[in-house]
Amino acid sequence: NAGVTQTPKFQVLKTGQSMTLQCAQDMNHNSMYWYRQDPGMGLRLIYYSASEGTTDKGEVPNGYNVSRLNKREFSLRLESAAPSQTSVYFCASSDPGTAYGYTFGSGTRLTVV
Amino acid sequence: QKEVEQNSGPLSVPEGAIASLNCTYSDRVSQSFFWYRQYSGKSPELIMSIYSNGDKEDGRFTAQLNKASQYVSLLIRDSQPSDSATYLCAVDNAGNMLTFGGGTRLMVKP
């Protein structure tokens, strides 16, 4: 039982490069989320998907796009990476809604130079 | 802006003592409250949830909720060095997403 799987675990990008962070869950959850975590800032919501086929902006969506590919997969894309996007990114899933909290993936540590 | 506030710490307690972690929230309609533990370099893991006023106990952990005061706390009894971590308070927002506090770093000294 893998839970929430994120890839890659580490990535270094140059300013202006693009990349996609992948997330997949095997718990049949409807809702999926992307957060970033920065020192002193806590976890901040980037985008979320309440169900397959829907996505919504969170607190810090600028510079990111998402795709809910199917019920299992929710990807986060950085089109033109900036140093301000250096962070640890967590994917999470939940069902129903947030009644039972989230299950988090192991995280992606991204550095933009 | 819906807010969840925690003292960043570090909170230092001796081994065997009770650690008390506190959290306040601003949104009165919140119904679900969670405590997550996060070890350095790891992802958050859910340790407690609480939905009704009062206390909820699970082993060495007790969550306390007071909706009138918009206050939720986590007590860790018989603290162990392995409890040293950052503890995140999370509050639901109308069932669509959780808002997290900045976390309290707990250090349990042998």
Side-chain angles (χ1 to χ4, degrees), chain A residues 6-29:
Chain A
Q6 284 185 240
T7 56
K9 292 190 183 303
F10 301 93
Q11 184 71 48
V12 178
L13 289 180
K14 294 182 179 179
T15 298
Q17 286 185 319
S18 63
M19 79 163 294
T20 299
L21 281 64
Q22 307 287 353
C23 176
Q25 52 92 7
D26 62 3
M27 296 172 288
N28 203 35
H29 285 170

PDB file of all heavy atoms in Angstrom, chain A residues 6-29:
ATOM      1  N   GLN A   6       5.290  10.670  -4.747  1.00  0.00           N
ATOM      2  CA  GLN A   6       5.747  11.863  -5.456  1.00  0.00           C
ATOM      3  C   GLN A   6       7.074  11.580  -6.137  1.00  0.00           C
ATOM      4  O   GLN A   6       7.935  10.905  -5.570  1.00  0.00           O
ATOM      5  CB  GLN A   6       5.993  13.018  -4.468  1.00  0.00           C
ATOM      6  CG  GLN A   6       4.770  13.701  -3.948  1.00  0.00           C
ATOM      7  CD  GLN A   6       5.130  14.888  -3.087  1.00  0.00           C
ATOM      8  OE1 GLN A   6       4.769  14.917  -1.911  1.00  0.00           O
ATOM      9  NE2 GLN A   6       5.822  15.876  -3.654  1.00  0.00           N
ATOM     10  N   THR A   7       7.220  12.125  -7.330  1.00  0.00           N
ATOM     11  CA  THR A   7       8.502  12.077  -8.017  1.00  0.00           C
ATOM     12  C   THR A   7       8.771  13.397  -8.716  1.00  0.00           C
ATOM     13  O   THR A   7       7.813  14.068  -9.158  1.00  0.00           O
ATOM     14  CB  THR A   7       8.527  10.953  -9.073  1.00  0.00           C
ATOM     15  OG1 THR A   7       7.433  11.142  -9.989  1.00  0.00           O
ATOM     16  CG2 THR A   7       8.431   9.582  -8.432  1.00  0.00           C
ATOM     17  N   PRO A   8      10.032  13.834  -8.801  1.00  0.00           N
ATOM     18  CA  PRO A   8      11.207  13.233  -8.162  1.00  0.00           C
ATOM     19  C   PRO A   8      11.293  13.634  -6.698  1.00  0.00           C
ATOM     20  O   PRO A   8      10.494  14.429  -6.225  1.00  0.00           O
ATOM     21  CB  PRO A   8      12.351  13.852  -8.971  1.00  0.00           C
ATOM     22  CG  PRO A   8      11.863  15.228  -9.305  1.00  0.00           C
ATOM     23  CD  PRO A   8      10.374  15.067  -9.570  1.00  0.00           C
ATOM     24  N   LYS A   9      12.269  13.106  -5.980  1.00  0.00           N
ATOM     25  CA  LYS A   9      12.477  13.485  -4.587  1.00  0.00           C
ATOM     26  C   LYS A   9      13.355  14.734  -4.479  1.00  0.00           C
ATOM     27  O   LYS A   9      13.221  15.531  -3.546  1.00  0.00           O
ATOM     28  CB  LYS A   9      13.114  12.336  -3.810  1.00  0.00           C
ATOM     29  CG  LYS A   9      12.192  11.141  -3.652  1.00  0.00           C
ATOM     30  CD  LYS A   9      12.755  10.133  -2.686  1.00  0.00           C
ATOM     31  CE  LYS A   9      11.869   8.908  -2.600  1.00  0.00           C
ATOM     32  NZ  LYS A   9      10.484   9.242  -2.202  1.00  0.00           N
ATOM     33  N   PHE A  10      14.264  14.888  -5.397  1.00  0.00           N
ATOM     34  CA  PHE A  10      15.154  16.048  -5.428  1.00  0.00           C
ATOM     35  C   PHE A  10      15.276  16.538  -6.867  1.00  0.00           C
ATOM     36  O   PHE A  10      15.254  15.732  -7.792  1.00  0.00           O
ATOM     37  CB  PHE A  10      16.555  15.709  -4.892  1.00  0.00           C
ATOM     38  CG  PHE A  10      16.579  15.195  -3.494  1.00  0.00           C
ATOM     39  CD1 PHE A  10      16.535  13.829  -3.243  1.00  0.00           C
ATOM     40  CD2 PHE A  10      16.634  16.064  -2.423  1.00  0.00           C
ATOM     41  CE1 PHE A  10      16.551  13.345  -1.944  1.00  0.00           C
ATOM     42  CE2 PHE A  10      16.652  15.589  -1.118  1.00  0.00           C
ATOM     43  CZ  PHE A  10      16.608  14.232  -0.886  1.00  0.00           C
ATOM     44  N   GLN A  11      15.423  17.856  -7.022  1.00  0.00           N
ATOM     45  CA  GLN A  11      15.622  18.402  -8.359  1.00  0.00           C
ATOM     46  C   GLN A  11      16.315  19.746  -8.240  1.00  0.00           C
ATOM     47  O   GLN A  11      15.968  20.553  -7.370  1.00  0.00           O
ATOM     48  CB  GLN A  11      14.277  18.573  -9.072  1.00  0.00           C
ATOM     49  CG  GLN A  11      14.374  19.053 -10.508  1.00  0.00           C
ATOM     50  CD  GLN A  11      14.919  17.985 -11.431  1.00  0.00           C
ATOM     51  OE1 GLN A  11      14.489  16.837 -11.421  1.00  0.00           O
ATOM     52  NE2 GLN A  11      15.895  18.372 -12.241  1.00  0.00           N
ATOM     53  N   VAL A  12      17.284  19.979  -9.134  1.00  0.00           N
ATOM     54  CA  VAL A  12      17.916  21.293  -9.256  1.00  0.00           C
ATOM     55  C   VAL A  12      17.615  21.806 -10.657  1.00  0.00           C
ATOM     56  O   VAL A  12      17.844  21.098 -11.646  1.00  0.00           O
ATOM     57  CB  VAL A  12      19.438  21.220  -9.029  1.00  0.00           C
ATOM     58  CG1 VAL A  12      20.062  22.602  -9.210  1.00  0.00           C
ATOM     59  CG2 VAL A  12      19.751  20.672  -7.645  1.00  0.00           C
ATOM     60  N   LEU A  13      17.087  22.991 -10.737  1.00  0.00           N
ATOM     61  CA  LEU A  13      16.761  23.621 -12.013  1.00  0.00           C
ATOM     62  C   LEU A  13      17.514  24.930 -12.166  1.00  0.00           C
ATOM     63  O   LEU A  13      17.825  25.591 -11.160  1.00  0.00           O
ATOM     64  CB  LEU A  13      15.265  23.952 -12.098  1.00  0.00           C
ATOM     65  CG  LEU A  13      14.249  22.837 -12.246  1.00  0.00           C
ATOM     66  CD1 LEU A  13      12.846  23.421 -12.298  1.00  0.00           C
ATOM     67  CD2 LEU A  13      14.521  22.021 -13.498  1.00  0.00           C
ATOM     68  N   LYS A  14      17.755  25.302 -13.404  1.00  0.00           N
ATOM     69  CA  LYS A  14      18.274  26.633 -13.671  1.00  0.00           C
ATOM     70  C   LYS A  14      17.097  27.584 -13.883  1.00  0.00           C
ATOM     71  O   LYS A  14      16.023  27.174 -14.346  1.00  0.00           O
ATOM     72  CB  LYS A  14      19.168  26.618 -14.896  1.00  0.00           C
ATOM     73  CG  LYS A  14      20.450  25.814 -14.702  1.00  0.00           C
ATOM     74  CD  LYS A  14      21.324  25.876 -15.945  1.00  0.00           C
ATOM     75  CE  LYS A  14      22.612  25.092 -15.711  1.00  0.00           C
ATOM     76  NZ  LYS A  14      23.486  25.110 -16.912  1.00  0.00           N
ATOM     77  N   THR A  15      17.281  28.835 -13.555  1.00  0.00           N
ATOM     78  CA  THR A  15      16.235  29.844 -13.764  1.00  0.00           C
ATOM     79  C   THR A  15      15.756  29.793 -15.208  1.00  0.00           C
ATOM     80  O   THR A  15      16.567  29.778 -16.141  1.00  0.00           O
ATOM     81  CB  THR A  15      16.766  31.237 -13.427  1.00  0.00           C
ATOM     82  OG1 THR A  15      17.129  31.283 -12.045  1.00  0.00           O
ATOM     83  CG2 THR A  15      15.713  32.294 -13.694  1.00  0.00           C
ATOM     84  N   GLY A  16      14.420  29.743 -15.356  1.00  0.00           N
ATOM     85  CA  GLY A  16      13.833  29.709 -16.689  1.00  0.00           C
ATOM     86  C   GLY A  16      13.498  28.315 -17.207  1.00  0.00           C
ATOM     87  O   GLY A  16      12.725  28.181 -18.154  1.00  0.00           O
ATOM     88  N   GLN A  17      14.062  27.281 -16.592  1.00  0.00           N
ATOM     89  CA  GLN A  17      13.748  25.921 -17.015  1.00  0.00           C
ATOM     90  C   GLN A  17      12.342  25.552 -16.538  1.00  0.00           C
ATOM     91  O   GLN A  17      11.793  26.151 -15.608  1.00  0.00           O
ATOM     92  CB  GLN A  17      14.765  24.924 -16.453  1.00  0.00           C
ATOM     93  CG  GLN A  17      16.109  24.992 -17.150  1.00  0.00           C
ATOM     94  CD  GLN A  17      17.057  23.910 -16.657  1.00  0.00           C
ATOM     95  OE1 GLN A  17      17.136  23.617 -15.461  1.00  0.00           O
ATOM     96  NE2 GLN A  17      17.790  23.324 -17.591  1.00  0.00           N
ATOM     97  N   SER A  18      11.797  24.530 -17.166  1.00  0.00           N
ATOM     98  CA  SER A  18      10.482  24.045 -16.773  1.00  0.00           C
ATOM     99  C   SER A  18      10.598  22.619 -16.255  1.00  0.00           C
ATOM    100  O   SER A  18      11.566  21.913 -16.548  1.00  0.00           O
ATOM    101  CB  SER A  18       9.519  24.095 -17.957  1.00  0.00           C
ATOM    102  OG  SER A  18       9.967  23.238 -18.993  1.00  0.00           O
ATOM    103  N   MET A  19       9.619  22.226 -15.463  1.00  0.00           N
ATOM    104  CA  MET A  19       9.571  20.842 -14.993  1.00  0.00           C
ATOM    105  C   MET A  19       8.177  20.541 -14.467  1.00  0.00           C
ATOM    106  O   MET A  19       7.399  21.459 -14.150  1.00  0.00           O
ATOM    107  CB  MET A  19      10.602  20.569 -13.898  1.00  0.00           C
ATOM    108  CG  MET A  19      10.241  21.049 -12.526  1.00  0.00           C
ATOM    109  SD  MET A  19      11.234  20.269 -11.237  1.00  0.00           S
ATOM    110  CE  MET A  19      10.698  18.558 -11.334  1.00  0.00           C
ATOM    111  N   THR A  20       7.889  19.254 -14.372  1.00  0.00           N
ATOM    112  CA  THR A  20       6.618  18.794 -13.834  1.00  0.00           C
ATOM    113  C   THR A  20       6.875  17.874 -12.653  1.00  0.00           C
ATOM    114  O   THR A  20       7.669  16.938 -12.758  1.00  0.00           O
ATOM    115  CB  THR A  20       5.803  18.043 -14.905  1.00  0.00           C
ATOM    116  OG1 THR A  20       5.522  18.934 -15.988  1.00  0.00           O
ATOM    117  CG2 THR A  20       4.487  17.536 -14.318  1.00  0.00           C
ATOM    118  N   LEU A  21       6.207  18.162 -11.550  1.00  0.00           N
ATOM    119  CA  LEU A  21       6.238  17.295 -10.381  1.00  0.00           C
ATOM    120  C   LEU A  21       5.039  16.352 -10.468  1.00  0.00           C
ATOM    121  O   LEU A  21       3.908  16.799 -10.697  1.00  0.00           O
ATOM    122  CB  LEU A  21       6.152  18.111  -9.086  1.00  0.00           C
ATOM    123  CG  LEU A  21       7.434  18.800  -8.578  1.00  0.00           C
ATOM    124  CD1 LEU A  21       7.900  19.861  -9.564  1.00  0.00           C
ATOM    125  CD2 LEU A  21       7.186  19.409  -7.218  1.00  0.00           C
ATOM    126  N   GLN A  22       5.319  15.081 -10.283  1.00  0.00           N
ATOM    127  CA  GLN A  22       4.275  14.076 -10.416  1.00  0.00           C
ATOM    128  C   GLN A  22       3.784  13.610  -9.050  1.00  0.00           C
ATOM    129  O   GLN A  22       4.554  13.526  -8.091  1.00  0.00           O
ATOM    130  CB  GLN A  22       4.810  12.871 -11.192  1.00  0.00           C
ATOM    131  CG  GLN A  22       5.438  13.183 -12.534  1.00  0.00           C
ATOM    132  CD  GLN A  22       4.404  13.548 -13.596  1.00  0.00           C
ATOM    133  OE1 GLN A  22       3.191  13.450 -13.379  1.00  0.00           O
ATOM    134  NE2 GLN A  22       4.892  13.988 -14.756  1.00  0.00           N
ATOM    135  N   CYS A  23       2.509  13.317  -8.973  1.00  0.00           N
ATOM    136  CA  CYS A  23       1.912  12.810  -7.740  1.00  0.00           C
ATOM    137  C   CYS A  23       0.839  11.795  -8.100  1.00  0.00           C
ATOM    138  O   CYS A  23       0.000  12.055  -8.986  1.00  0.00           O
ATOM    139  CB  CYS A  23       1.296  13.949  -6.941  1.00  0.00           C
ATOM    140  SG  CYS A  23       0.425  13.424  -5.449  1.00  0.00           S
ATOM    141  N   ALA A  24       0.857  10.655  -7.417  1.00  0.00           N
ATOM    142  CA  ALA A  24      -0.158   9.636  -7.637  1.00  0.00           C
ATOM    143  C   ALA A  24      -0.553   9.037  -6.294  1.00  0.00           C
ATOM    144  O   ALA A  24       0.297   8.832  -5.425  1.00  0.00           O
ATOM    145  CB  ALA A  24       0.363   8.542  -8.564  1.00  0.00           C
ATOM    146  N   GLN A  25      -1.861   8.768  -6.138  1.00  0.00           N
ATOM    147  CA  GLN A  25      -2.344   8.135  -4.902  1.00  0.00           C
ATOM    148  C   GLN A  25      -3.156   6.894  -5.261  1.00  0.00           C
ATOM    149  O   GLN A  25      -3.839   6.861  -6.280  1.00  0.00           O
ATOM    150  CB  GLN A  25      -3.175   9.128  -4.067  1.00  0.00           C
ATOM    151  CG  GLN A  25      -4.298   9.838  -4.795  1.00  0.00           C
ATOM    152  CD  GLN A  25      -5.640   9.170  -4.721  1.00  0.00           C
ATOM    153  OE1 GLN A  25      -5.830   8.179  -3.997  1.00  0.00           O
ATOM    154  NE2 GLN A  25      -6.595   9.694  -5.476  1.00  0.00           N
ATOM    155  N   ASP A  26      -3.049   5.901  -4.379  1.00  0.00           N
ATOM    156  CA  ASP A  26      -3.738   4.632  -4.638  1.00  0.00           C
ATOM    157  C   ASP A  26      -4.812   4.359  -3.593  1.00  0.00           C
ATOM    158  O   ASP A  26      -5.155   3.202  -3.342  1.00  0.00           O
ATOM    159  CB  ASP A  26      -2.725   3.492  -4.708  1.00  0.00           C
ATOM    160  CG  ASP A  26      -1.964   3.285  -3.405  1.00  0.00           C
ATOM    161  OD1 ASP A  26      -2.256   3.989  -2.415  1.00  0.00           O
ATOM    162  OD2 ASP A  26      -1.068   2.424  -3.383  1.00  0.00           O
ATOM    163  N   MET A  27      -5.346   5.405  -2.970  1.00  0.00           N
ATOM    164  CA  MET A  27      -6.332   5.254  -1.907  1.00  0.00           C
ATOM    165  C   MET A  27      -7.749   5.586  -2.380  1.00  0.00           C
ATOM    166  O   MET A  27      -8.668   5.687  -1.573  1.00  0.00           O
ATOM    167  CB  MET A  27      -5.939   6.153  -0.723  1.00  0.00           C
ATOM    168  CG  MET A  27      -4.617   5.740  -0.095  1.00  0.00           C
ATOM    169  SD  MET A  27      -4.025   6.905   1.143  1.00  0.00           S
ATOM    170  CE  MET A  27      -3.532   8.245   0.076  1.00  0.00           C
ATOM    171  N   ASN A  28      -7.904   5.797  -3.683  1.00  0.00           N
ATOM    172  CA  ASN A  28      -9.208   6.118  -4.268  1.00  0.00           C
ATOM    173  C   ASN A  28      -9.788   7.420  -3.696  1.00  0.00           C
ATOM    174  O   ASN A  28     -11.012   7.588  -3.610  1.00  0.00           O
ATOM    175  CB  ASN A  28     -10.203   4.978  -4.073  1.00  0.00           C
ATOM    176  CG  ASN A  28     -11.319   5.017  -5.105  1.00  0.00           C
ATOM    177  OD1 ASN A  28     -11.095   5.386  -6.259  1.00  0.00           O
ATOM    178  ND2 ASN A  28     -12.520   4.644  -4.703  1.00  0.00           N
ATOM    179  N   HIS A  29      -8.891   8.349  -3.311  1.00  0.00           N
ATOM    180  CA  HIS A  29      -9.351   9.632  -2.786  1.00  0.00           C
ATOM    181  C   HIS A  29      -9.826  10.532  -3.914  1.00  0.00           C
ATOM    182  O   HIS A  29      -9.267  10.532  -5.009  1.00  0.00           O
ATOM    183  CB  HIS A  29      -8.221  10.326  -2.036  1.00  0.00           C
ATOM    184  CG  HIS A  29      -7.945   9.738  -0.696  1.00  0.00           C
ATOM    185  ND1 HIS A  29      -6.835  10.101   0.052  1.00  0.00           N
ATOM    186  CD2 HIS A  29      -8.623   8.832   0.046  1.00  0.00           C
ATOM    187  CE1 HIS A  29      -6.860   9.434   1.199  1.00  0.00           C
ATOM    188  NE2 HIS A  29      -7.928   8.656   1.206  1.00  0.00           N
TER     189      HIS A  29
END
